[in-house]
Structure formats: C-alpha cells, structure tokens
Amino acid sequence: MPIEAEALTTGGIIALVVAVLLALVGAVLGGILGMRYHRKVDQYGADHHRGGDS
C-alpha cells in the first residue's frame, strides 16, 4: 500500500502539534497541582510554627 510523501509530512506535522499541545497542557496542569500542594504545605508549616512559639 503506497503512501505519498506529502501525506506522511502532513501527518507528521499534525502529530508534532498534538504532542506539543499535550506537553503544554500537562506542564500547566502539573504546575497548578504543584502550586496547590506547596501552598498547603507552606500554610501547614506556618500555622504550626506560629503555634509552637507562642
């Protein structure tokens, strides 16, 4: 089953764009989740630090 070079190039470009977009979405979601986690950890540490020194 022969495939034209143009079809392969177009498919490759589409695959590249999809991969880049998925990586971007994953990075943004990971950053958001990491920020939420670290805010909770920082708040926990600040609450316990203040409570222990009083």
Side-chain angles (χ1 to χ4, degrees):
M1 171 183 334
I3 299 174
E4 295 180 25
E6 185 177 318
L8 289 176
T9 303
T10 303
I13 291 171
I14 291 171
L16 178 65
V17 169
V18 168
V20 168
L21 288 175
L22 285 175
L24 179 63
V25 168
V28 169
L29 289 177
I32 290 170
L33 292 175
M35 187 170 48
R36 282 186 59 205
Y37 171 77
H38 283 284
R39 281 187 181 161
K40 287 181 183 180
V41 169
D42 292 344
Q43 187 62 48
Y44 180 83
D47 290 345
H48 280 63
H49 181 70
R50 268 187 273 140
D53 288 344
S54 298

Coordinates of all heavy atoms in Angstrom, one line a residue:
M1 N 0.9 -1.2 0.0 CA 0.0 0.0 0.0 C 0.9 1.2 0.0 O 1.5 1.6 1.0 CB -0.9 0.0 1.2 CG -1.6 1.2 1.4 SD -2.7 1.5 2.9 CE -3.2 0.0 3.5
P2 N 1.1 1.9 -1.1 CA 2.0 3.1 -1.2 C 1.3 4.3 -0.6 O 0.1 4.5 -0.7 CB 2.2 3.3 -2.7 CG 1.0 2.6 -3.3 CD 0.6 1.5 -2.4
I3 N 2.1 5.1 0.1 CA 1.7 6.3 0.8 C 2.5 7.4 0.2 O 3.7 7.3 0.1 CB 1.8 6.2 2.3 CG1 1.0 5.1 2.8 CG2 1.4 7.5 2.9 CD1 1.2 4.8 4.3
E4 N 1.8 8.5 -0.1 CA 2.5 9.7 -0.7 C 3.4 10.4 0.4 O 3.0 10.4 1.6 CB 1.5 10.6 -1.3 CG 0.8 10.1 -2.5 CD -0.2 11.1 -3.1 OE1 0.0 12.3 -2.9 OE2 -1.1 10.6 -3.7
A5 N 4.5 11.0 0.0 CA 5.3 11.7 0.9 C 4.6 12.9 1.5 O 4.8 13.2 2.7 CB 6.6 12.1 0.2
E6 N 3.8 13.5 0.8 CA 3.0 14.7 1.3 C 2.1 14.3 2.4 O 2.0 15.0 3.4 CB 2.2 15.3 0.1 CG 1.5 16.6 0.6 CD 0.8 17.3 -0.6 OE1 1.3 17.3 -1.7 OE2 -0.3 17.8 -0.3
A7 N 1.5 13.1 2.3 CA 0.6 12.6 3.3 C 1.4 12.3 4.6 O 0.9 12.6 5.7 CB -0.2 11.4 2.9
L8 N 2.6 11.8 4.5 CA 3.4 11.5 5.6 C 3.9 12.8 6.3 O 3.9 12.9 7.5 CB 4.6 10.7 5.2 CG 4.4 9.2 4.8 CD1 5.6 8.6 4.3 CD2 3.8 8.4 6.0
T9 N 4.2 13.8 5.5 CA 4.7 15.1 6.1 C 3.5 15.7 6.8 O 3.7 16.2 7.9 CB 5.2 16.0 4.9 OG1 6.2 15.3 4.2 CG2 5.7 17.3 5.5
T10 N 2.3 15.7 6.2 CA 1.2 16.4 6.9 C 0.8 15.6 8.2 O 0.6 16.3 9.2 CB 0.0 16.3 5.9 OG1 0.3 17.0 4.7 CG2 -1.2 17.0 6.6
G11 N 0.9 14.3 8.1 CA 0.6 13.5 9.3 C 1.6 13.8 10.4 O 1.3 13.8 11.6
G12 N 2.9 13.9 10.0 CA 3.9 14.2 10.9 C 3.8 15.5 11.6 O 4.0 15.7 12.8
I13 N 3.4 16.5 10.8 CA 3.2 17.9 11.4 C 2.1 17.9 12.4 O 2.2 18.5 13.4 CB 3.0 18.9 10.2 CG1 4.3 19.1 9.5 CG2 2.5 20.2 10.8 CD1 4.2 19.9 8.2
I14 N 1.0 17.2 12.0 CA -0.2 17.1 12.9 C 0.2 16.4 14.2 O -0.1 16.9 15.3 CB -1.4 16.5 12.2 CG1 -1.9 17.4 11.1 CG2 -2.5 16.1 13.2 CD1 -2.9 16.7 10.2
A15 N 0.9 15.3 14.1 CA 1.4 14.6 15.3 C 2.3 15.4 16.1 O 2.2 15.4 17.4 CB 2.1 13.3 14.9
L16 N 3.1 16.2 15.5 CA 4.0 17.1 16.3 C 3.3 18.2 17.0 O 3.5 18.4 18.2 CB 5.1 17.7 15.3 CG 6.0 18.7 16.0 CD1 6.9 18.0 17.0 CD2 6.8 19.4 14.9
V17 N 2.3 18.8 16.4 CA 1.5 19.8 17.0 C 0.7 19.2 18.2 O 0.6 19.8 19.3 CB 0.6 20.5 16.0 CG1 -0.5 21.4 16.6 CG2 1.4 21.3 15.0
V18 N 0.1 18.1 18.0 CA -0.7 17.4 19.1 C 0.3 17.1 20.2 O -0.1 17.3 21.4 CB -1.4 16.2 18.5 CG1 -1.9 15.3 19.7 CG2 -2.5 16.5 17.6
A19 N 1.5 16.6 20.0 CA 2.4 16.2 21.0 C 2.8 17.5 21.8 O 2.9 17.5 23.1 CB 3.6 15.5 20.5
V20 N 3.1 18.6 21.1 CA 3.5 19.8 21.8 C 2.3 20.4 22.6 O 2.5 20.8 23.8 CB 3.9 20.9 20.7 CG1 4.1 22.2 21.4 CG2 5.3 20.4 20.1
L21 N 1.1 20.3 22.1 CA 0.0 20.8 22.9 C -0.3 19.9 24.1 O -0.6 20.5 25.2 CB -1.3 20.9 22.0 CG -1.3 22.0 20.9 CD1 -2.5 21.8 20.1 CD2 -1.2 23.3 21.6
L22 N -0.2 18.6 24.0 CA -0.3 17.7 25.1 C 0.7 18.0 26.2 O 0.4 18.0 27.4 CB -0.3 16.3 24.7 CG -1.6 15.8 24.0 CD1 -1.4 14.3 23.5 CD2 -2.8 15.9 24.9
A23 N 1.9 18.2 25.8 CA 3.0 18.5 26.7 C 2.8 19.8 27.4 O 3.0 20.0 28.6 CB 4.4 18.6 26.0
L24 N 2.3 20.8 26.7 CA 2.0 22.1 27.3 C 0.8 22.0 28.3 O 0.9 22.5 29.4 CB 1.6 23.1 26.2 CG 1.2 24.5 26.7 CD1 2.4 25.2 27.4 CD2 0.7 25.4 25.5
V25 N -0.2 21.3 28.0 CA -1.3 21.1 28.9 C -0.9 20.3 30.1 O -1.2 20.7 31.3 CB -2.5 20.3 28.2 CG1 -3.5 19.9 29.2 CG2 -3.1 21.2 27.1
G26 N 0.0 19.3 29.9 CA 0.5 18.6 31.1 C 1.3 19.4 32.0 O 1.3 19.3 33.2
A27 N 2.2 20.3 31.4 CA 3.0 21.2 32.2 C 2.2 22.2 33.0 O 2.5 22.4 34.2 CB 4.0 21.9 31.3
V28 N 1.2 22.7 32.4 CA 0.3 23.7 33.1 C -0.4 23.0 34.2 O -0.5 23.5 35.3 CB -0.7 24.4 32.1 CG1 -1.7 25.2 32.8 CG2 0.1 25.3 31.1
L29 N -1.0 21.9 33.9 CA -1.8 21.1 35.0 C -0.8 20.7 36.1 O -1.2 20.8 37.3 CB -2.5 19.9 34.4 CG -3.7 20.2 33.5 CD1 -4.2 18.9 33.0 CD2 -4.7 20.9 34.3
G30 N 0.4 20.3 35.8 CA 1.3 19.9 36.8 C 1.8 21.1 37.6 O 1.9 21.0 38.9
G31 N 1.9 22.2 37.0 CA 2.3 23.4 37.7 C 1.2 23.9 38.7 O 1.4 24.3 39.8
I32 N 0.0 23.8 38.2 CA -1.2 24.2 39.0 C -1.3 23.3 40.3 O -1.5 23.7 41.4 CB -2.5 24.2 38.2 CG1 -2.5 25.4 37.2 CG2 -3.7 24.3 39.1 CD1 -3.6 25.3 36.2
L33 N -1.2 22.0 40.0 CA -1.3 21.0 41.1 C -0.2 21.1 42.1 O -0.3 21.1 43.3 CB -1.4 19.6 40.6 CG -2.7 19.2 39.8 CD1 -2.6 17.8 39.2 CD2 -3.9 19.3 40.7
G34 N 1.0 21.3 41.6 CA 2.2 21.5 42.4 C 2.1 22.8 43.3 O 2.4 22.8 44.4
M35 N 1.6 23.9 42.7 CA 1.4 25.1 43.4 C 0.4 24.9 44.5 O 0.6 25.4 45.7 CB 0.9 26.2 42.4 CG 0.9 27.6 43.0 SD 0.6 28.9 41.8 CE -0.8 28.3 40.9
R36 N -0.7 24.2 44.2 CA -1.7 24.0 45.3 C -1.1 23.2 46.4 O -1.3 23.5 47.6 CB -2.9 23.2 44.7 CG -3.9 24.0 43.9 CD -5.1 23.2 43.5 NE -5.8 22.7 44.7 CZ -6.5 21.6 44.7 NH1 -6.7 20.9 43.6 NH2 -7.1 21.2 45.8
Y37 N -0.4 22.1 46.1 CA 0.3 21.3 47.1 C 1.2 22.1 48.0 O 1.2 22.0 49.2 CB 1.0 20.1 46.5 CG 1.8 19.3 47.4 CD1 1.2 18.4 48.3 CD2 3.2 19.5 47.5 CE1 2.0 17.7 49.2 CE2 4.0 18.8 48.4 CZ 3.4 17.9 49.2 OH 4.1 17.2 50.1
H38 N 2.1 22.9 47.4 CA 3.1 23.6 48.1 C 2.4 24.7 48.9 O 2.9 25.1 50.0 CB 4.2 24.1 47.2 CG 5.1 23.0 46.8 ND1 6.1 22.6 47.7 CD2 5.3 22.3 45.7 CE1 6.7 21.6 47.1 NE2 6.3 21.4 45.9
R39 N 1.4 25.3 48.5 CA 0.7 26.3 49.3 C 0.1 25.7 50.6 O 0.2 26.2 51.6 CB -0.5 27.0 48.5 CG 0.0 28.0 47.5 CD -1.1 28.7 46.9 NE -0.6 29.7 46.0 CZ -1.3 30.3 45.0 NH1 -2.6 29.9 44.8 NH2 -0.8 31.2 44.2
K40 N -0.5 24.5 50.4 CA -1.0 23.7 51.6 C 0.1 23.4 52.6 O 0.0 23.6 53.8 CB -1.7 22.5 51.2 CG -3.0 22.7 50.5 CD -3.7 21.4 50.1 CE -5.0 21.6 49.4 NZ -5.6 20.4 49.1
V41 N 1.3 22.9 52.0 CA 2.4 22.6 52.9 C 3.0 23.8 53.6 O 3.3 23.8 54.8 CB 3.5 21.9 52.1 CG1 4.8 21.8 52.8 CG2 3.0 20.5 51.6
D42 N 3.1 24.9 52.8 CA 3.6 26.2 53.4 C 2.7 26.7 54.5 O 3.1 27.1 55.6 CB 3.8 27.2 52.4 CG 4.9 26.9 51.4 OD1 5.8 26.0 51.7 OD2 5.0 27.5 50.3
Q43 N 1.4 26.6 54.2 CA 0.4 27.1 55.2 C 0.4 26.2 56.5 O 0.4 26.7 57.6 CB -1.0 27.1 54.7 CG -2.1 27.7 55.6 CD -1.8 29.2 55.8 OE1 -1.5 29.9 54.9 NE2 -1.8 29.6 57.1
Y44 N 0.5 24.9 56.3 CA 0.6 24.0 57.4 C 1.9 24.3 58.3 O 1.8 24.4 59.5 CB 0.7 22.5 56.9 CG 0.8 21.5 58.0 CD1 -0.3 21.0 58.7 CD2 2.1 21.0 58.4 CE1 -0.2 20.1 59.7 CE2 2.2 20.0 59.4 CZ 1.0 19.6 60.1 OH 1.1 18.7 61.1
G45 N 3.0 24.5 57.6 CA 4.2 24.8 58.3 C 4.1 26.2 59.0 O 4.6 26.3 60.2
A46 N 3.5 27.1 58.4 CA 3.4 28.5 59.0 C 2.5 28.4 60.2 O 2.7 29.0 61.3 CB 2.8 29.5 58.0
D47 N 1.4 27.6 60.1 CA 0.4 27.5 61.3 C 1.1 26.8 62.4 O 0.9 27.2 63.6 CB -0.8 26.7 60.8 CG -1.7 27.5 59.9 OD1 -1.5 28.8 59.8 OD2 -2.6 26.9 59.3
H48 N 1.9 25.8 62.2 CA 2.5 25.0 63.3 C 3.7 25.8 63.8 O 4.0 25.6 65.0 CB 2.9 23.6 62.8 CG 1.7 22.7 62.8 ND1 0.6 22.9 62.0 CD2 1.5 21.6 63.5 CE1 -0.3 21.9 62.2 NE2 0.2 21.1 63.1
H49 N 4.4 26.5 63.0 CA 5.5 27.3 63.5 C 5.0 28.4 64.5 O 5.6 28.6 65.5 CB 6.3 27.9 62.4 CG 7.5 28.7 62.8 ND1 8.6 28.1 63.3 CD2 7.7 30.1 62.8 CE1 9.4 29.1 63.6 NE2 8.9 30.2 63.3
R50 N 3.9 29.1 64.1 CA 3.4 30.2 64.9 C 2.8 29.6 66.2 O 3.0 30.2 67.3 CB 2.3 30.9 64.2 CG 2.7 32.1 63.4 CD 1.6 32.9 62.9 NE 1.3 32.3 61.6 CZ 0.1 32.1 61.1 NH1 -1.0 32.5 61.8 NH2 -0.1 31.6 59.9
G51 N 2.2 28.5 66.1 CA 1.6 27.9 67.3 C 2.6 27.4 68.3 O 2.4 27.4 69.5
G52 N 3.7 26.9 67.8 CA 4.8 26.3 68.7 C 5.6 27.4 69.4 O 6.1 27.1 70.5
D53 N 5.7 28.6 68.9 CA 6.5 29.6 69.5 C 5.7 30.5 70.5 O 6.3 31.2 71.3 CB 7.0 30.6 68.4 CG 8.1 30.0 67.6 OD1 8.6 28.9 68.1 OD2 8.5 30.5 66.5
S54 N 4.4 30.3 70.6 CA 3.6 31.2 71.5 C 3.7 30.7 72.9 O 3.8 29.6 73.3 CB 2.1 31.1 71.1 OG 2.0 31.7 69.8

